Amino acid sequence: MRLPFRYILTVSELTREIKDILEMQFADILVEGEISNLKVPPSGHIYFTLKDDFSQIRVVLFKNQARSLRFSPEDGLHVICRGRVSLYERGESIN
């Protein structure tokens, strides 16, 4: 039996493909959950986990968007977030 040809992706190529799919499929979504692990470093960005009873996702709210919030995010707060899904690609190579 002859196996079909398989194209081998690098990690970077696979990451790019996943990122493209996510950004196209989830370009403008609403997600409901609870804020946890809130961190606000000096950069002004807001980092947190959005979770429910079964799953969690990591969230970054960039400084420009954070300025327009009409409330102060805090751990335990139940929220509805509007945003897009993306995947962070590391910009430097590992040797």
Side-chain angles (χ1 to χ4, degrees):
M1 178 167 140
R2 193 172 171 153
L3 296 176
F5 173 75
R6 292 182 184 211
Y7 180 73
I8 300 171
L9 297 171
T10 66
V11 172
S12 295
E13 289 168 335
L14 177 59
T15 301
R16 170 54 64 183
E17 292 290 327
I18 293 169
K19 180 179 172 132
D20 289 348
I21 291 167
L22 287 173
E23 289 180 352
M24 186 172 52
Q25 186 70 29
F26 301 103
D28 186 20
I29 60 167
L30 297 171
V31 181
E32 180 178 3
E34 178 185 318
I35 294 175
S36 67
N37 302 314
L38 182 75
K39 292 177 182 52
V40 185
S43 67
H45 304 319
I46 299 175
Y47 299 90
F48 61 94
T49 300
L50 191 63
K51 66 179 186 173
D52 62 20
D53 291 338
F54 305 103
S55 299
Q56 60 184 15
I57 57 172
R58 297 189 63 184
V59 178
V60 178
L61 182 60
F62 293 108
K63 182 179 181 177
N64 292 339
Q65 288 78 30
R67 286 187 198 144
S68 65
L69 287 179
R70 292 181 273 179
F71 68 96
S72 294
E74 58 186 60
D75 285 338
L77 193 62
H78 190 90
V79 295
I80 297 173
C81 297
R82 180 178 181 188
R84 63 183 173 88
V85 176
S86 188
L87 180 70
Y88 174 72
E89 293 179 275
R90 185 178 175 135
E92 44 191 81
S93 60
I94 300 172
N95 290 328

